[in-house]
Amino acid sequence: MPTHVLAEAHGDETGALLSFLEAQRGGLRRAVLGLTDAQASKRPSASELSLAGLLKHVAETEQGWIETAQERPHSIERTEDTWHLSFQLEDGETTAGVLEFWDGVARRTEEFIRSVPSLNDTFPLPEAPWFPPQARQSMRWLLLHLIEETARHAGHADILRESLDGKTAFGLVDEERAAREG
């Protein structure tokens, strides 16, 4: 882990989980630091993944899970035919625009999570072959799942960025810090 997540106030489990989620988001955001849209859209490995595509996918996924927990329809519906679009910039989309969209998603995630009375509160999982029938999950599970999903893709982003120009997560942390302090 290239950054240290500050300890939460004693007993603030919600704050701790949100901090760990934000730390993983930071890893993905840093992966595109200083890149053009063209560079962020390159696929430097055998995979179809690009950095811009990972950002978009993680932002859409987080938004979808929060809307599921709120028992609201998804703002962005993906089907088997459009799933691939969540992994690539479409006409008119930019890396900066995806980051701005994700910032809004992150704000809404925090507002929602802080508004629920308890992390033990549950929501129904959608009907899908990979979920048990009538399954419910807690808000705690939701946050842990978002951390897991984001961390998985932050790891992918580390490999993609290093493949593009040799920069590693630790070096990007230093660049980000220098830019902030400079």
Side-chain angles (χ1 to χ4, degrees), residues 89-136:
L89 296 183
E90 297 178 72
D91 289 340
E93 290 183 326
T94 63
T95 304
V98 171
L99 287 168
E100 186 177 324
F101 167 70
W102 196 14
D103 286 343
V105 170
R107 274 191 307 279
R108 290 187 298 278
T109 296
E110 182 160 353
E111 288 167 6
F112 170 67
I113 291 298
R114 291 197 182 278
S115 76
V116 297
S118 169
L119 292 177
N120 293 325
D121 289 359
T122 64
F123 62 94
L125 291 178
E127 294 294 322
W130 47 86
F131 294 134
Q134 287 106 35
R136 295 186 69 85

Side-chain angles (χ1 to χ4, degrees), residues 52-62 83 86-87 149 153:
L54 283 174
L55 291 174
K56 182 177 174 181
H57 170 72
V58 172
E60 285 188 13
T61 299
E62 182 174 331
W83 182 249
S86 75
F87 285 97
E149 173 82 11
H153 291 311

Side-chain angles (χ1 to χ4, degrees), residues 43-105:
R43 298 174 182 156
S45 71
S47 163
E48 290 290 315
L49 296 176
S50 71
L51 291 170
L54 283 174
L55 291 174
K56 182 177 174 181
H57 170 72
V58 172
E60 285 188 13
T61 299
E62 182 174 331
Q63 177 174 273
W65 273 109
I66 295 303
E67 290 170 344
T68 296
Q70 293 170 327
E71 299 185 52
R72 293 181 24 214
H74 287 193
S75 301
I76 300 171
E77 284 291 336
R78 295 290 180 198
T79 66
E80 192 174 320
D81 294 332
T82 63
W83 182 249
H84 68 284
L85 297 176
S86 75
F87 285 97
Q88 65 191 47
L89 296 183
E90 297 178 72
D91 289 340
E93 290 183 326
T94 63
T95 304
V98 171
L99 287 168
E100 186 177 324
F101 167 70
W102 196 14
D103 286 343
V105 170

